[in-house]
Amino acid sequence: MSSEEMLYAQGAKIWVPHAEQVWESATLEESYRKGAGFLKICTESGSLKEVKLKADGSDLPPLRNPAILVGQNDLTTLSYLHEPGVLYNLRVRFCERQIIYTYCGIILVAINPYAEMPLYGPSIIRAYRGHAMGDLEPHIFALAEEAYTKLERENCNLSIIVSGESGAGKTVSAKYAMRYFAAVGGSESETQVERKVLASSPIMEAFGNAKTTRNDNSSRFGKFTKLLFRNQMGVMYLQGATMHTYLLEKSRVVYQAQGERNYHIFYQLCAARAKYPELVLDHQDKFEFLNMGGAPDIERVSDADQFNETVQAMTVLGFSIQQIADIVKILAGILHLGNIQVSKKFNEGSEEEDTDSCEIFHNDIHLQITGDLLRVSAEDLRRWLLMRKIESVNEYVLIPNSIEAAQAARDALAKHIYAKLFQYIVGVLNKSLNNGSKQCSFIGVLDIYGFETFEVNSFEQFCINYANEKLQQQFNQHVFKLEQEEYLKEGITWTMIDFYDNQPCIDLIESRLGVLDLLDEECRMPKGSDESWAGKLIGKCSKFPHFEKPRFGTTSFFIKHFSDTVEYDVNGFLEKNRDTVSKELTQVLSESNMSLVKQVMTLEEIDTLNVDTAKSSTLGGRVVISAGRKQQGKDTRRRVVPSKQHRKTVGSQFQESLASLISTLHATTPHYVRCIKPNDDKVAFKWETAKIIQQLRACGVLETVRISAAGFPSRWLYPDFYMRYQLLVYRSKLDKNDMKTSCRNIVMKWIPDEDKYRFGNTQIFFRAGQVAFLEQVRANLRKKYITIVQSVVRRFIYRRRFLRLQLVIGGIQRHARGFLARQRVQKMREARAGLILSKYARGWLCRRRFLRLRHSIAGIQTYARGMMARSKFHAMRDHYRAVQIQRFVRGALARRAYQKRRRNIIICQAAIRRFLARRQFKRLKAEAKTISHMENKYMGLENKIISMQQRIDELNRDNSNLKHKTSEISVLKMKLELKKTLEAEFKNVKAACQDKDKLIEALNKQLEAERDEKMQLLEENGHAQEDWISQKQTWRLENEELRRQIDEIIEMAKNAEVSQRTQEDRMMAEIDNRELNEAYQRAIKDKEVIENENYMLKEELSRLTAGSFSLHGRKASNASSQNEDDVGYASAKNTLDINRPPDLLSKNYAYNDSTSLVVKLRAILEEEKLKHKNLQEQYIKLASRHKPTEDSFRPACRPAGRGP
């Protein structure tokens, strides 16, 4: 069986790629066989998959490390050194154990926990002092102790390189490293030096750190701090420090992206504006340079408190009160400079805009404040913001600035002032930290920006990534060098290890006709632009494999860095590389009446990494003056102004500074700290795998692992290897006195391939995976040997146990038989005594059970009778209500059927009458057209007149009858008054009913009180019974007799009380029912009288109405007949003219008066009906309220139905 088949057996743990988690753990479902084309696996999520393999098995998935190696302090000690193993080990330590530090060879990996950790107190510093790296848990103090110990032992220069992306914790790690050096390298007489070293951090954070989208305290510059030590009696003491900075992000002063802030010092100054009223400061949102990002605050950070800490640190480091006041004025001047408004300018005499010039008003408040704070001429400042001077050979020309050019000049001046001020502050810090005495050696702490890639990458990101390329190259070379030195020291043969070399990428950037060279050349061109430079890049740099041109457009280019491919936008590259500022504006500031402004503006760029910083040297046509050296007098200072052609660009200066930094690092022994940002949400101990694996690839951790894995990553000392794996060979091949030979016999037996291991002088070196193979073999042998030992031991144990049991059982049986006999006799005695006791106990229990049962049955009967009575009452009530509902429903159905039948009959009668009337009308119409009819009509005219006179007389009589009816109205009004009195009596009855309700309620309350008293008596009776039972047995009969008498007395009182209450309730109910019935009978009689009267009125009104209608109908019929005659005979119209007498007209007027009277009577009648109906409904409600119900019977039935 090959080693692959043994390792990839069923149940083995492996790693497989995953889309979101990058790597996912899985288990083999079947053992691997050489030549197999796939593997069946089961992932952690429970899904079954098949992984395709090559025939030679070269693409087998990586194996998981044994459980004994999970969570190791050093990643290089893992048996399987690959990406998933490293990632899982870091995850276990960070998420499960909450350990933020892990070694990876010479690298310390620090993961930002985004939480306060109690790991940096004085007790922790004392714990790591004097311990070698690896003795304790990984820590930044362990790395610092390693460097300090090497400094003491070898008296050489060392460096600690802290790197990582923004927000990974680089600044904090560097701060704690310097704190450790200040603590262990101090003495009682030099506490001031330690204090100054620690006090420099808040000043640099205030002036050089800012809030970004990734970090609330991001360092926007590189910093290399040299901690200077001197050797005194073999002990290294901290003497001082110097600080060197690189590439301050000046563009942040005038522009911030959304969600970011300017440098902290501006916001701290605005928060403490009450202390400096002369600065005329306002809230931070009022300044253009501070409100661009829209995120002026940082959670859990007070800018006012931070400002106090900054001022206190500046005082500690030697800043005078006047210097601090002048620095604050310069900062306030920069803020007011950004608020100077540049407006449009119009041509004189017209409203046309002059696009080539602009205007700044003389009375601009911010312009005046800026001039006062910086103590310069506001008019000169305004003039050179609006104008620029172009020099020729013998003359110069003044050209007005456009709005954009004026704003750019203003922003360039602000950036220039801040950069010079930052340089001045660093120089003062260096003067304070370095007392000028001769130092022995130093430890450098490099806190530099990590690899950056954003949506839009500009000149700053290009320089940052260029620096990281150089540092990665230095790191790779150092790691490779240490690896080879280890092999040489052990005396083993080795071959050249292939590692990633980023020299081609560096050549692309800094070689001739590279990116920086072409950029400087374009900056020297008078009409150079970003677009033309981009075109030259595409034409000249396409030959480099790490350069890539964009698919569309020429405004960007790609560079393949060691960690990622980054797209750079060329817009602004030339302007940022030139870093030009108007010479006239700088001259205005140089003529300031403030000494600090004048001193700041005359500072020159310096090469801070030269070893001899105390000496001045000339670079590029200028005298370089060290900020750490005491400056000479004004008269003796020599300053060479560089020409425009020889002025260095920002890129070339950065390249030279970076080269000096790399040479310094090469001259030291470096130690590396790689800071990892676990998530973008700044959540404590949150793990984002994709982000972390990208950083591990970018910061060189995986490259270190790859270099280690390419050689012999697993290393064991001979004693350790012998103690762990001695059971893998026979004892005859082991020799404790010669462990190297014994270890050789062990390895050669199980690993036949000699290329998988090497024997060094003190250690054994193994290829990746070989230790895991030996662990698997060791586990199998241990399992086999343990099984054999267990079988022999179990046989011996069980045989000895059998013999011992056989000897003991004989004695136990003898004693047991005697014990059982005695026990049997005792049981017989106890059975006899128990029989006698149980006889009496059963009798007592039966009697008590009988009494309880009788009491329970009586109670059950009581509640059962009550329940049956209530159910019977409910049934009777439901039956009664159902009968009533049926009665009303049947009546309603019968009335509906009657109305429907009557309506149908009326319709039939109307139809028949209409038919007969039409037939008669047609007949009469036909007769009217005959001549004989006309003659008869004319002959009977006198008779008709007489009959009409008779009808008039009848109408007069009807009128007299109507007058008689009006007299009857008064009678109806009297009856109405009588009805109102009846209503008043009804209200009195209602009030009496309410009084009765109150009386009933009071009686119910009294009944409840008496019931409570009764229950209290029953409870007292129960207590008395319990007391009597506890008395002596001789008083039992007497107590039972007394209790029986008490029960009878209580029952009699109860029955008497119940009967009395029942009789009283019955009497009250009869009285109430009698009164209600009498009132109801009276109301019924009144209702019948009113109905009879209403009926008579209806009859009378119908009669009057019928008479009036019949009269009206006769008139209409006569009129119609006349009209018909007129239609047929036009000549008879004038001869038959009828003159109506005036008395007939008066009768018609009387008829109208009688009609209105009838209408009024009918309205009065309807009102009376409504009132009667309302009274009847109120009476029904009152009657139903006082109707006997279940609740009214319950108080009466309860006492009567309760049993003894």
Side-chain angles (χ1 to χ4, degrees):
M1 180 183 293
S2 63
S3 60
E4 288 83 3
E5 293 178 349
M6 181 179 292
L7 293 174
Y8 286 88
Q10 184 179 2
K13 302 290 186 179
I14 61 172
W15 294 103
V16 293
H18 191 270
E20 297 178 358
Q21 301 177 7
V22 183
W23 293 98
E24 184 181 18
S25 178
T27 306
L28 291 180
E29 293 295 314
E30 294 181 357
S31 298
Y32 168 72
R33 293 290 179 267
K34 201 166 185 179
F38 60 89
L39 280 177
K40 289 185 178 180
I41 63 171
C42 178
T43 62
E44 279 186 339
S45 59
S47 59
L48 297 175
K49 296 181 180 179
E50 287 188 358
V51 179
K52 293 183 179 180
L53 302 175
K54 295 181 180 179
D56 56 354
S58 59
D59 58 345
L60 284 169
L63 288 164
R64 284 186 58 173
N65 285 287
I68 190 175
L69 298 178
V70 174
Q72 287 291 308
N73 294 340
D74 194 341
L75 297 177
T76 58
T77 61
L78 298 176
S79 178
Y80 298 114
L81 276 175
H82 43 59
E83 183 178 292
V86 170
L87 190 66
Y88 181 69
N89 195 77
L90 290 174
R91 181 177 180 180
V92 168
R93 291 179 60 82
F94 182 70
C95 296
E96 298 179 7
R97 304 180 185 179
Q98 294 190 351
I99 301 174
I100 63 174
Y101 292 112
T102 306
Y103 294 130
C104 182
I106 63 171
I107 302 175
L108 176 66
V109 180
I111 306 177
N112 193 346
Y114 288 112
E116 294 294 334
M117 303 290 288
L119 300 176
Y120 309 102
S123 60
I124 305 297
I125 294 176
R126 289 192 296 269
Y128 278 90
R129 183 69 180 102
H131 287 82
M133 192 173 176
D135 293 347
L136 300 177
E137 281 289 325
H139 200 284
I140 186 68
F141 291 165
L143 188 74
E145 173 63 21
E146 179 76 11
Y148 186 76
T149 304
K150 190 175 183 64
L151 177 71
E152 286 184 323
R153 185 175 60 248
E154 301 179 10
N155 196 17
C156 61
N157 297 328
L158 298 101
S159 61
I160 296 178
I161 303 172
V162 184
S163 63
E165 73 170 44
S166 179
K170 302 184 299 297
T171 303
V172 176
S173 297
K175 184 193 303 182
Y176 285 132
M178 289 191 292
R179 177 182 294 180
Y180 186 85
F181 292 134
V184 301
S187 64
E188 296 296 332
S189 61
E190 294 178 340
T191 54
Q192 188 67 20
V193 176
E194 306 166 26
R195 185 182 176 193
K196 288 182 179 181
V197 171
L198 297 177
S200 64
S201 295
I203 299 175
M204 298 309 295
E205 289 182 5
F207 286 89
N209 289 21
K211 176 185 177 182
T212 64
T213 56
R214 299 183 178 182
N215 186 10
D216 292 340
N217 190 30
S218 176
S219 298
R220 307 316 299 163
F221 67 102
K223 179 176 64 174
F224 184 65
T225 305
K226 285 184 177 181
L227 299 175
L228 308 177
F229 294 86
R230 77 172 186 274
N231 192 348
Q232 184 176 352
M233 304 297 292
V235 179
M236 288 294 179
Y237 288 98
L238 181 63
Q239 178 185 357
T242 59
M243 191 178 301
H244 316 285
T245 60
Y246 313 96
L247 196 65
L248 177 69
E249 188 181 5
K250 294 187 290 186
S251 61
R252 183 169 292 273
V253 178
V254 298
Y255 173 76
Q256 305 92 44
Q258 190 65 29
E260 297 188 352
R261 293 205 325 173
N262 207 324
Y263 290 104
H264 295 326
I265 188 62
F266 291 114
Y267 301 92
Q268 295 174 8
L269 185 60
C270 290
R273 60 184 178 273
K275 297 181 180 180
Y276 302 97
E278 68 275 7
L279 302 181
V280 199
L281 291 175
D282 202 346
H283 190 268
Q284 54 202 15
D285 293 339
K286 302 297 183 181
F287 295 101
E288 294 294 329
F289 286 166
L290 302 183
N291 59 9
M292 296 180 184
D297 298 321
I298 301 176
E299 294 183 2
R300 300 184 298 276
V301 174
S302 172
D303 288 325
D305 296 341
Q306 293 293 321
F307 181 76
N308 295 332
E309 185 179 352
T310 302
V311 173
Q312 184 179 1
M314 293 175 73
T315 305
V316 171
L317 286 166
F319 286 86
S320 65
I321 298 176
Q322 185 61 39
Q323 282 179 315
I324 295 175
D326 291 344
I327 290 172
V328 167
K329 288 181 181 179
I330 294 175
L331 293 172
I334 293 173
L335 293 179
H336 288 290
L337 179 63
N339 278 18
I340 296 176
Q341 295 296 325
V342 182
S343 57
K344 299 177 182 178
K345 185 177 181 180
F346 298 92
N347 295 326
E348 296 182 0
S350 65
E351 296 183 355
E352 183 180 358
E353 180 184 351
D354 187 1
T355 57
D356 295 333
S357 61
C358 59
E359 179 65 30
I360 297 176
F361 296 108
H362 292 276
N363 58 353
D364 191 315
I365 185 64
H366 294 286
L367 177 65
Q368 300 298 329
I369 295 173
T370 303
D372 294 340
L373 291 176
L374 300 180
R375 301 181 69 179
V376 298
S377 173
E379 187 61 31
D380 291 344
L381 184 64
R382 173 182 174 275
R383 178 189 178 189
W384 294 114
L385 285 175
L386 297 177
M387 307 290 290
R388 67 181 184 273
K389 183 168 65 174
I390 299 178
E391 297 180 1
S392 62
V393 178
N394 297 321
E395 61 181 4
Y396 63 88
V397 180
L398 296 179
I399 299 177
N401 288 331
S402 63
I403 294 178
E404 293 77 9
Q407 291 175 348
R410 179 196 64 189
D411 295 345
L413 180 61
K415 293 188 292 184
H416 184 71
I417 295 173
Y418 190 81
K420 291 294 184 180
L421 179 62
F422 185 80
Q423 182 182 350
Y424 170 77
I425 291 172
V426 173
V428 176
L429 289 179
N430 287 334
K431 286 174 63 177
S432 178
L433 293 174
N434 188 8
N435 54 17
S437 60
K438 183 179 179 180
Q439 78 273 8
C440 180
S441 54
F442 69 87
I443 296 178
V445 179
L446 177 63
D447 176 12
I448 197 164
Y449 16 65
F451 185 84
E452 287 187 353
T453 173
F454 300 105
E455 293 183 1
V456 178
N457 300 286
S458 188
F459 181 72
E460 292 83 4
Q461 283 71 42
F462 172 77
C463 293
I464 289 171
N465 296 338
Y466 168 47
N468 278 272
E469 286 284 353
K470 295 285 287 184
L471 291 173
Q472 182 66 25
Q473 184 186 43
Q474 188 271 341
F475 168 75
N476 289 344
Q477 292 174 355
H478 181 70
V479 171
F480 177 76
K481 178 182 176 182
L482 289 180
E483 192 77 10
Q484 307 304 330
E485 287 179 353
E486 180 72 16
Y487 295 158
L488 289 174
K489 184 178 71 173
E490 290 294 327
I492 64 174
T493 58
W494 54 277
T495 56
M496 184 64 68
I497 299 174
D498 181 23
F499 66 96
Y500 174 77
D501 187 9
N502 54 356
Q503 186 61 42
C505 183
I506 296 174
D507 292 340
L508 166 65
I509 297 173
E510 64 183 14
S511 65
R512 181 172 177 78
L513 296 180
V515 176
L516 288 177
D517 189 56
L518 292 175
L519 182 62
D520 292 342
E521 181 182 350
E522 191 68 22
C523 288
R524 289 191 291 270
M525 298 297 244
K527 295 184 179 180
S529 64
D530 296 325
E531 290 77 12
S532 61
W533 175 64
K536 291 180 180 180
L537 279 179
I538 295 174
K540 300 290 185 180
C541 297
S542 298
K543 60 183 179 180
F544 291 96
H546 288 264
F547 182 85
E548 187 176 320
K549 62 181 180 180
R551 292 185 178 180
F552 306 101
T554 59
T555 60
S556 63
F557 62 94
F558 293 87
I559 292 181
K560 298 177 181 178
H561 291 284
F562 69 95
S563 62
D564 198 2
T565 301
V566 182
E567 179 183 8
Y568 296 101
D569 190 352
V570 299
N571 292 324
F573 259 73
L574 265 68
E575 183 64 29
K576 293 176 181 178
N577 190 44
R578 290 190 185 113
D579 193 24
T580 57
V581 63
S582 174
K583 185 168 63 175
E584 290 74 21
L585 287 173
T586 58
Q587 185 65 29
V588 169
L589 292 176
S590 299
E591 297 173 356
S592 171
N593 295 326
M594 183 189 296
S595 61
L596 181 61
V597 173
K598 189 179 299 184
Q599 184 179 358
V600 164
M601 297 308 296
T602 55
L603 288 177
E604 291 294 333
E605 298 292 336
I606 58 173
D607 186 3
T608 57
L609 277 181
N610 282 339
V611 179
D612 189 7
T613 57
K615 295 182 180 180
S616 298
S617 60
T618 303
L619 290 178
R622 73 184 72 177
V623 176
V624 179
I625 302 174
S626 173
R629 183 180 179 186
K630 185 176 180 181
Q631 296 184 1
Q632 299 175 356
K634 185 175 181 181
D635 297 334
T636 61
R637 181 185 303 160
R638 181 170 61 90
R639 181 171 179 265
V640 179
V641 179
S643 63
K644 187 175 181 181
Q645 288 77 11
H646 293 87
R647 188 168 184 265
K648 289 189 177 181
T649 61
V650 174
S652 60
Q653 292 175 6
F654 183 72
Q655 184 177 0
E656 291 178 0
S657 299
L658 190 58
S660 299
L661 174 64
I662 297 300
S663 63
T664 302
L665 295 178
H666 279 305
T668 62
T669 302
H671 297 75
Y672 298 93
V673 179
R674 296 299 191 236
C675 299
I676 304 297
K677 185 177 181 180
N679 59 82
D680 289 327
D681 301 328
K682 303 173 186 176
V683 179
F685 292 100
K686 180 182 177 183
W687 182 272
E688 292 182 1
T689 307
K691 182 173 185 60
I692 290 173
I693 199 66
Q694 190 271 338
Q695 294 178 74
L696 291 175
R697 293 167 182 168
C699 68
V701 173
L702 295 182
E703 184 66 17
T704 305
V705 170
R706 196 189 67 81
I707 293 175
S708 299
F712 299 92
S714 300
R715 301 162 191 182
W716 285 75
L717 294 173
Y718 286 111
D720 296 339
F721 187 83
Y722 175 82
M723 293 301 296
R724 182 159 187 85
Y725 298 108
Q726 59 180 333
L727 59 87
L728 298 186
V729 295
Y730 295 111
R731 188 174 296 274
S732 60
K733 293 186 178 181
L734 296 178
D735 185 4
K736 291 183 179 180
N737 298 322
D738 189 2
M739 290 187 178
K740 186 173 183 180
T741 305
S742 301
C743 294
R744 184 185 298 273
N745 294 333
I746 296 172
V747 173
M748 294 177 66
K749 178 180 178 180
W750 294 103
I751 306 177
D753 189 357
E754 294 183 358
D755 186 56
K756 299 294 184 181
Y757 57 87
R758 291 288 187 276
F759 295 101
N761 297 327
T762 60
Q763 301 180 70
I764 308 177
F765 293 77
F766 292 99
R767 297 280 189 188
Q770 300 307 309
V771 174
F773 172 72
L774 292 177
E775 282 290 327
Q776 183 69 32
V777 173
R778 179 176 179 271
N780 295 337
L781 285 177
R782 287 187 65 189
K783 184 177 180 181
K784 176 183 176 182
Y785 295 154
I786 288 171
T787 304
I788 297 172
V789 171
Q790 284 178 346
S791 63
V792 175
V793 171
R794 287 194 188 102
R795 174 184 174 279
F796 171 75
I797 290 173
Y798 282 108
R799 186 174 182 281
R800 187 175 62 176
R801 186 182 301 169
F802 169 73
L803 295 176
R804 187 180 298 171
L805 287 175
Q806 188 178 21
L807 180 64
V808 171
I809 285 173
I812 291 175
Q813 287 178 347
R814 184 173 63 254
H815 292 286
R817 291 189 185 98
F819 173 75
L820 290 175
R822 289 188 295 271
Q823 193 177 24
R824 192 180 304 114
V825 172
Q826 184 66 22
K827 286 183 178 180
M828 292 172 64
R829 293 175 182 173
E830 291 175 354
R832 176 176 174 79
L835 185 63
I836 297 171
L837 292 174
S838 62
K839 177 177 67 175
Y840 291 101
R842 289 193 190 97
W844 180 77
L845 290 174
C846 289
R847 283 192 298 273
R848 190 174 68 173
R849 192 180 301 114
F850 167 72
L851 293 175
R852 288 182 179 177
L853 185 62
R854 185 177 67 177
H855 183 268
S856 300
I857 289 172
I860 291 171
Q861 287 176 350
T862 301
Y863 289 106
R865 292 190 187 103
M867 184 182 68
M868 292 173 64
R870 285 191 294 274
S871 62
K872 184 176 181 181
F873 168 75
H874 290 321
M876 293 173 66
R877 185 180 64 183
D878 295 343
H879 183 297
Y880 171 75
R881 290 176 179 174
V883 170
Q884 293 298 319
I885 292 171
Q886 289 176 355
R887 181 168 66 84
F888 286 114
V889 170
R890 290 193 185 104
L893 293 176
R895 284 191 295 274
R896 188 184 298 171
Y898 166 73
Q899 294 292 341
K900 183 177 180 180
R901 188 173 182 185
R902 181 183 175 191
R903 185 167 61 254
N904 294 335
I905 291 172
I906 290 172
I907 292 171
C908 292
Q909 288 178 350
I912 293 171
R913 288 180 183 140
R914 183 179 63 182
F915 171 75
L916 294 175
R918 284 180 178 175
R919 188 167 63 180
Q920 185 178 4
F921 171 73
K922 290 179 182 179
R923 183 174 55 78
L924 291 174
K925 187 175 181 181
E927 290 178 355
K929 293 180 180 181
T930 60
I931 298 174
S932 59
H933 178 70
M934 297 294 293
E935 291 177 354
N936 292 331
K937 186 175 181 181
Y938 290 138
M939 289 176 61
L941 185 60
E942 295 179 357
N943 295 330
K944 288 183 178 180
I945 292 171
I946 294 170
S947 62
M948 289 178 65
Q949 187 66 36
Q950 291 176 355
R951 288 193 186 96
I952 290 170
D953 295 337
E954 290 179 357
L955 289 173
N956 290 332
R957 286 195 296 274
D958 294 338
N959 192 11
S960 62
N961 290 331
L962 288 172
K963 290 180 180 179
H964 179 69
K965 292 295 183 181
T966 56
S967 62
E968 291 181 354
I969 292 173
S970 60
V971 178
L972 290 173
K973 289 182 177 179
M974 293 175 64
K975 290 183 179 179
L976 181 62
E977 293 295 331
L978 181 62
K979 197 168 186 181
K980 289 182 179 180
T981 56
L982 179 61
E983 183 177 357
E985 291 179 0
F986 184 79
K987 289 182 179 179
N988 295 332
V989 171
K990 182 178 179 181
C993 291
Q994 292 179 353
D995 294 337
K996 296 297 183 183
D997 290 337
K998 293 180 180 179
L999 180 61
I1000 291 171
E1001 185 177 0
L1003 291 173
N1004 286 333
K1005 290 182 178 179
Q1006 185 177 0
L1007 182 60
E1008 291 293 334
E1010 292 178 356
R1011 187 182 297 113
D1012 294 337
E1013 292 177 359
K1014 174 187 170 184
M1015 293 301 296
Q1016 186 175 1
L1017 289 173
L1018 290 175
E1019 289 178 0
E1020 293 176 358
N1021 186 18
H1023 291 305
Q1025 288 178 3
E1026 292 177 359
D1027 293 336
W1028 286 117
I1029 289 173
S1030 63
Q1031 295 292 334
K1032 294 181 180 181
Q1033 190 69 21
T1034 56
W1035 296 351
R1036 184 184 302 169
L1037 295 175
E1038 185 178 354
N1039 287 339
E1040 288 180 354
E1041 184 66 21
L1042 288 174
R1043 187 168 62 252
R1044 193 176 299 110
Q1045 292 177 4
I1046 290 171
D1047 291 337
E1048 290 175 358
I1049 292 170
I1050 292 172
E1051 191 65 30
M1052 291 173 65
K1054 189 192 304 179
N1055 293 333
E1057 181 183 357
V1058 170
S1059 61
Q1060 183 179 357
R1061 293 297 179 190
T1062 305
Q1063 187 175 2
E1064 288 177 359
D1065 293 343
R1066 190 178 296 111
M1067 290 175 65
M1068 293 300 296
E1070 288 177 359
I1071 292 170
D1072 294 339
N1073 292 334
R1074 192 181 301 113
E1075 290 177 357
L1076 292 173
N1077 289 331
E1078 289 176 359
Y1080 182 73
Q1081 293 298 327
R1082 285 198 301 271
I1084 289 175
K1085 289 179 180 179
D1086 293 339
K1087 177 185 176 184
E1088 290 176 355
V1089 171
I1090 292 171
E1091 288 180 351
N1092 291 331
E1093 289 174 356
N1094 292 340
Y1095 180 78
M1096 295 297 294
L1097 288 173
K1098 286 181 181 180
E1099 292 294 325
E1100 188 67 25
L1101 289 173
S1102 64
R1103 185 178 64 78
L1104 292 173
T1105 304
S1108 63
F1109 286 165
S1110 63
L1111 178 61
H1112 186 268
R1114 287 193 296 273
K1115 289 180 181 179
S1117 63
N1118 293 335
S1120 65
S1121 63
Q1122 291 174 5
N1123 291 335
E1124 291 295 334
D1125 294 340
D1126 292 341
V1127 172
Y1129 302 95
S1131 61
K1133 184 176 181 181
N1134 297 325
T1135 58
L1136 296 177
D1137 189 12
I1138 298 175
N1139 296 322
R1140 296 180 181 178
D1143 57 347
L1144 183 62
L1145 296 174
S1146 63
K1147 289 181 181 180
N1148 289 333
Y1149 290 124
Y1151 170 72
N1152 292 332
D1153 295 336
S1154 63
T1155 303
S1156 62
L1157 182 62
V1158 169
V1159 171
K1160 290 180 181 179
L1161 289 173
R1162 184 174 296 171
I1164 292 171
L1165 182 62
E1166 293 295 328
E1167 290 179 359
E1168 292 299 323
K1169 283 183 179 180
L1170 291 174
K1171 290 182 179 179
H1172 182 267
K1173 185 176 180 181
N1174 293 333
L1175 290 173
Q1176 187 175 5
E1177 290 176 355
Q1178 293 178 3
Y1179 177 78
I1180 291 172
K1181 291 180 180 179
L1182 290 172
S1184 63
R1185 180 184 297 176
H1186 296 286
K1187 188 175 181 181
T1189 60
E1190 178 187 0
D1191 296 333
S1192 62
F1193 285 112
R1194 189 172 296 167
C1197 296
R1198 224 177 245 169
R1202 186 174 297 172

